[in-house]
Amino acid sequence: MSFADAAQVRSAQTSVPAPREQSAAVQDAVAGLAEVDRATEALYEVVAGLDLRALRGPSLLPGWSRGHVVTHLARNADALVNLLTWAKTGVEHQMYPSSADRDADIAEGAGRLPQLLRADLDAACQRFATAARELPPTAWEAEVVHPKGGPFLAHRVPWLRLREVWFHLVDLDSGVGFEDLPPELLEQFLEGAVGQYADRADVPSARVEAVFPDGRQRSWELTADSEASPAVSGAAADVLGWLTGRHSGARLNGTAPTLPKWL
């Protein structure tokens, strides 16, 4: 059985058991975990096809190889287990001891052989799935803290993992792009990307227009005075790529301003 095939078998066992009556928090968590399972299967399929040369090759993230990206995805799963442990026990468990420790762990793991990278990724994904499966329903409503985003409720943890998996799947630059996102996730991630720029003084004035695969169009203002600004428009996947720093905006219509670092 291949790495990817084994992952599909395991993912069927990761869902949170559904009680007869679920709170809104549990429903949101369960929905997010189902999406994480699907995204993780896609991740495993891509990583299974990367040989040593490919893993040592550059990703879309400056200074990071594909091996760095795969290792980061493993360490992010463990970091989110820390947040779930915090929600379950009420005892503070930060995602990472420090930014320096996080970076050192990624650098240390990035150069390993493909089979070790895959084993590490699989083990970390399974630890996250187990922690989610064993979380008491009430714990999904506990408050935890993201080192950059501040306090939030634990039922959003699966959605954080989902964003990490999809975005870094794109960063692997191995055949998966934002255009491969399910349409509902594409819109959700666009909303989130725009929201990351809210209330930031370093964000240029820009009105953003996105066209979705079904023909729908949506627009956003990045700042309060963006309504009078010339529009930057394009396919939703390309707009998301620009907003998240995956490309310069050359694929878009209009003059795309230079954006500050997204995250």
Side-chain angles (χ1 to χ4, degrees), residues 111-159:
R112 289 173 297 183
L113 294 173
Q115 60 268 35
L116 296 178
L117 279 169
R118 294 183 189 120
D120 180 38
L121 176 65
D122 181 47
C125 288
Q126 293 308 309
R127 286 192 291 271
F128 175 78
T130 298
R133 186 173 62 246
E134 295 179 351
L135 201 69
T138 55
W140 290 112
E141 301 182 55
E143 184 178 271
V144 294
V145 178
H146 191 281
K148 294 183 178 179
F152 68 105
L153 298 184
H155 64 87
R156 298 307 297 171
V157 167
W159 298 97

Side-chain angles (χ1 to χ4, degrees), residues 169-252:
L169 251 174
V170 173
D171 291 330
L172 287 172
D173 195 21
S174 299
V176 175
F178 285 127
E179 64 275 8
D180 297 307
L181 280 166
E184 66 277 8
L185 292 184
L186 178 58
E187 187 164 8
Q188 177 181 323
F189 289 155
L190 261 174
E191 288 268 13
V194 171
Q196 291 290 336
Y197 291 114
D199 303 321
R200 289 179 57 175
D202 57 350
V203 176
S205 176
R207 181 161 54 91
V208 180
E209 297 178 350
V211 180
F212 289 89
D214 61 3
R216 289 185 307 111
Q217 299 184 30
R218 287 197 61 188
S219 62
W220 297 267
E221 283 79 40
L222 290 188
T223 65
D225 60 349
S226 293
E227 190 171 354
S229 303
V232 178
S233 63
D238 289 337
V239 172
L240 182 59
W242 169 61
L243 287 173
T244 59
R246 269 66 187 181
H247 65 76
S248 66
R251 306 176 192 177
L252 304 177

Side-chain angles (χ1 to χ4, degrees), residues 78-97:
D78 287 334
L80 293 178
V81 169
N82 287 340
L83 293 187
L84 294 180
T85 302
W86 186 348
K88 183 177 182 178
T89 65
V91 178
E92 180 177 339
H93 284 71
Q94 293 289 339
M95 289 181 66
Y96 301 100

Side-chain angles (χ1 to χ4, degrees), residues 14-94:
T14 63
S15 299
V16 174
R20 292 182 179 179
E21 295 183 3
Q22 295 177 330
S23 68
V26 172
Q27 290 179 36
D28 187 53
V30 169
L33 290 169
E35 292 293 345
V36 169
D37 280 348
R38 285 188 282 270
T40 301
E41 288 178 18
L43 172 64
Y44 279 136
E45 183 175 355
V46 169
V47 173
L50 300 176
D51 59 16
L52 180 60
R53 182 176 180 179
L55 286 164
R56 298 284 169 84
S59 72
L60 295 184
L61 296 177
W64 272 18
S65 68
R66 293 185 181 92
H68 283 86
V69 174
V70 173
T71 302
H72 167 62
L73 281 166
R75 299 291 72 77
N76 173 262
D78 287 334
L80 293 178
V81 169
N82 287 340
L83 293 187
L84 294 180
T85 302
W86 186 348
K88 183 177 182 178
T89 65
V91 178
E92 180 177 339
H93 284 71
Q94 293 289 339

